[in-house]
Amino acid sequence: MNEPAVPWRDVAARLQPFIARRVPAPDVDDVLQDVFLRMHRGLTTLRDDDRMTAWMFQIARVAIADRGRDRGRHPLADQPSGLEPAAETNDDDRPAEQALASCLTIFVARLESPYREAVTLVELEGITIRAAAEMVGASLSAMKSRVQRGRAQLRCMLEDCCHIAIDARGAVTDVEPRATAGCSCQPRT
């Protein structure tokens, strides 16, 4: 099978603005390079040259999402070296988050066995999904499903228990127990 001819400069000119709208400026070139690498590796699997544009933008979306996940897991490692990390917030400044965290451990303990282990390993202990799958002897896709289902169950439990207010950055600003739930997720005063 012959590889289609790819004018890489044209591809870069189309993808760079797309990526720049979705990632911080210092990451644009890194993500673009990652997209090129993924495209090069998968070029032989492209069956229809007419679908090249959709294919390359799909690869770019996946690379952007992967970059976002990496930043979420390692936020301090991605900071420019000239900047100091933000001052730690005192635990006393976040009563809503503390109340929710205390409820979360109770709800994790209530999850069924495969979901409890998956959420504990991946979310609470910070182990990668692949490593967690190897630890429990499950396939990677099974572990991903367990983590996803466990998260969904936790979310339902928390939403049934409390009304949770979140700011624009995703930080918990207020936790108000629902009257019918009898929940103990109350901010400490």
Side-chain angles (χ1 to χ4, degrees):
M1 183 176 192
N2 292 338
E3 288 187 22
V6 179
W8 295 106
R9 286 192 179 120
D10 294 342
V11 172
R14 293 183 72 185
L15 287 176
Q16 196 159 19
F18 177 80
I19 294 168
R21 287 191 303 269
R22 290 162 176 81
V23 299
D27 293 345
V28 172
D29 289 335
D30 291 339
V31 172
L32 184 62
Q33 183 175 358
D34 186 33
V35 170
F36 280 158
L37 183 62
R38 291 175 189 209
M39 286 176 64
H40 182 72
R41 287 180 180 157
L43 203 52
T44 57
T45 63
L46 181 63
R47 293 187 185 127
D48 186 3
D49 290 347
D50 296 335
R51 304 267 311 144
M52 173 94 175
T53 301
W55 177 72
M56 73 181 187
F57 279 99
Q58 180 59 34
I59 290 173
R61 281 190 285 281
V62 170
I64 290 166
D66 288 348
R67 181 58 149 212
R69 276 197 239 37
D70 288 346
R71 279 190 162 275
R73 288 186 183 130
H74 311 289
L76 293 178
D78 292 331
Q79 277 190 342
S81 59
L83 297 176
E84 292 297 319
E88 289 289 322
T89 56
N90 188 346
D91 285 342
D92 296 334
D93 295 340
R94 303 178 306 186
E97 287 182 14
Q98 284 181 337
L100 199 56
S102 67
C103 278
L104 193 60
T105 56
I106 294 167
F107 290 137
V108 169
R110 291 181 186 170
L111 289 173
E112 293 179 27
S113 177
Y115 308 119
R116 181 178 55 245
E117 285 86 18
V119 169
T120 300
L121 290 171
V122 174
E123 297 298 336
L124 301 179
E125 294 181 15
I127 297 173
T128 65
I129 292 178
R130 183 177 307 279
E134 291 172 2
M135 288 175 78
V136 299
S139 69
L140 182 61
S141 63
M143 183 56 72
K144 286 180 181 179
S145 294
R146 290 176 187 176
V147 170
Q148 243 178 357
R149 289 178 183 152
R151 287 176 185 159
Q153 290 175 14
L154 280 174
R155 182 181 188 110
C156 287
M157 286 184 216
L158 286 169
E159 287 175 347
D160 287 345
C161 172
C162 305
H163 171 72
I164 303 166
I166 299 173
D167 68 8
R169 294 174 294 145
V172 176
T173 58
D174 189 31
V175 177
E176 186 177 321
R178 297 191 191 278
T180 59
C183 181
S184 62
C185 298
Q186 296 190 17
R188 297 178 199 154
T189 54

